[in-house]
Amino acid sequence: VPNQIMSGRSLFSPIFSVSHRIKLISAIPALLLTSLFFLDQNITTRVVNNPKNGMVKPPAYHQDLLVLGLITGILSIFGLPWQCAATVQSLNHVRVMSMIESKQESDGSNVEVIESVCENRLSGFTIHAMVLASIASLSILKFIPMPVVSGIFLFLGRKVMTGNDFLGRIKELCMDQTLLKPTSTIKQVGYKTAFSYTLVQALMLALLWTLKSFQKTALFFPSVIGLLVLMRLFLLPKIFSQEALDALDTPVA
């Protein structure tokens, strides 16, 4: 953690100090980054507005992108780090603000169901105001070990995994089929179809993880996410029936 915010450079980014040729070449990675911002923002907002969360207020996808674009432009002028959607933190925020009840299903198992969400702007504003106020504590925060910070994000990520259909389906594929719930998607579409669909998801996840793990290939990460959309729209319908896709593909908005 740095001891001070800024030193040794001008307030504004030296945009005009590079040649026009460099600016044109920079447009290529800029397009990839734009795709990443677009996908990251939309994926996060759509997951947050999942019908399971029971949101009452309607989404504002276009307004969110407009605000994100304006903020990114201002930060670029001053050479400050860009902002993007915080998926894990956003999902945990929704969970914390939710009224959750445990309901018993016909087989006797308990399932957590979100009854309502306290939708407000005050909690989000307070969280980010406290993040801003932490600037005054930079000299203290630098003593926090990185494993502690990593552990916090590991805990948040583990909490978000609760109720994830992909992970839940992997667990069910390893179970005795006679122990599956009547509402299980494996019983609806069959073991072979569920296994094949989950295998495709796992392979795509491994591809994304591999690309992001290496600095030389991380630049292509956004384009691969866009490739997943094309696969879902054009390739998967040729492999799986529409009934199977409707059962296996969880609606997000």
Side-chain angles (χ1 to χ4, degrees):
V1 178
N3 293 321
Q4 50 189 351
I5 302 175
M6 182 191 306
S7 65
R9 72 172 183 88
S10 60
L11 179 61
F12 299 100
S13 299
I15 302 176
F16 302 102
S17 62
V18 296
S19 64
H20 295 295
R21 178 175 173 272
I22 298 298
K23 293 178 183 177
L24 291 174
I25 296 175
S26 300
I28 298 175
L31 288 174
L32 296 176
L33 283 172
T34 302
S35 302
L36 179 60
F37 274 101
F38 176 82
L39 293 170
D40 187 42
Q41 177 68 24
N42 276 278
I43 290 172
T44 302
T45 52
R46 288 184 178 276
V47 172
V48 166
N49 287 286
N50 191 303
K52 292 182 180 180
N53 295 333
M55 294 288 191
V56 177
K57 297 180 180 179
Y61 300 117
H62 299 296
Q63 183 180 355
D64 290 342
L65 279 177
L66 174 62
V67 173
L68 178 63
L70 293 174
I71 294 176
T72 303
I74 295 174
L75 292 175
S76 299
I77 294 175
F78 292 98
L80 296 175
W82 291 323
Q83 303 297 308
C84 62
T87 308
V88 175
Q89 292 90 325
S90 299
L91 293 177
N92 276 286
H93 186 206
V94 172
R95 186 173 181 84
V96 169
M97 303 304 296
S98 301
M99 296 293 294
I100 301 177
E101 291 189 7
S102 180
K103 293 187 176 181
Q104 192 175 49
E105 294 192 338
S106 57
D107 59 353
S109 61
N110 293 323
V111 179
E112 290 186 347
V113 178
I114 296 178
E115 293 293 331
S116 62
V117 178
C118 180
E119 303 177 51
N120 67 95
R121 295 182 177 90
L122 180 60
S123 58
F125 176 81
T126 303
I127 292 172
H128 289 86
M130 293 177 66
V131 172
L132 178 62
S134 65
I135 294 178
S137 307
L138 291 179
S139 57
I140 300 176
L141 293 177
K142 68 179 182 179
F143 293 108
I144 300 178
M146 283 305 298
V148 174
V149 179
S150 301
I152 293 175
F153 281 98
L154 179 62
F155 171 77
L156 293 176
R158 174 61 187 86
K159 292 292 291 183
V160 172
M161 289 180 184
T162 304
N164 183 277
D165 290 335
F166 172 66
L167 298 176
R169 198 182 316 117
I170 293 178
K171 179 182 178 181
E172 290 183 346
L173 287 171
C174 299
M175 291 174 55
D176 187 342
Q177 301 304 295
T178 60
L179 300 178
L180 295 178
K181 301 177 182 179
T183 56
S184 172
T185 54
I186 296 179
K187 284 195 171 183
Q188 297 178 29
V189 302
Y191 185 90
K192 182 178 180 181
T193 301
F195 178 82
S196 301
Y197 186 85
T198 307
L199 179 62
V200 172
Q201 288 184 303
L203 291 175
M204 293 301 101
L205 177 61
L207 175 61
L208 289 174
W209 187 276
T210 303
L211 288 174
K212 193 176 181 180
S213 300
F214 298 96
Q215 186 176 3
K216 293 182 179 180
T217 58
L219 185 63
F220 301 99
F221 180 75
S223 58
V224 176
I225 296 181
L227 179 62
L228 297 181
V229 178
L230 298 177
M231 286 186 59
R232 174 59 183 86
L233 291 175
F234 302 106
L235 181 60
L236 292 186
K238 296 181 179 180
I239 303 176
F240 304 97
S241 64
Q242 188 59 45
E243 292 76 13
L245 290 176
D246 292 338
L248 293 167
D249 197 6
T250 307
V252 292

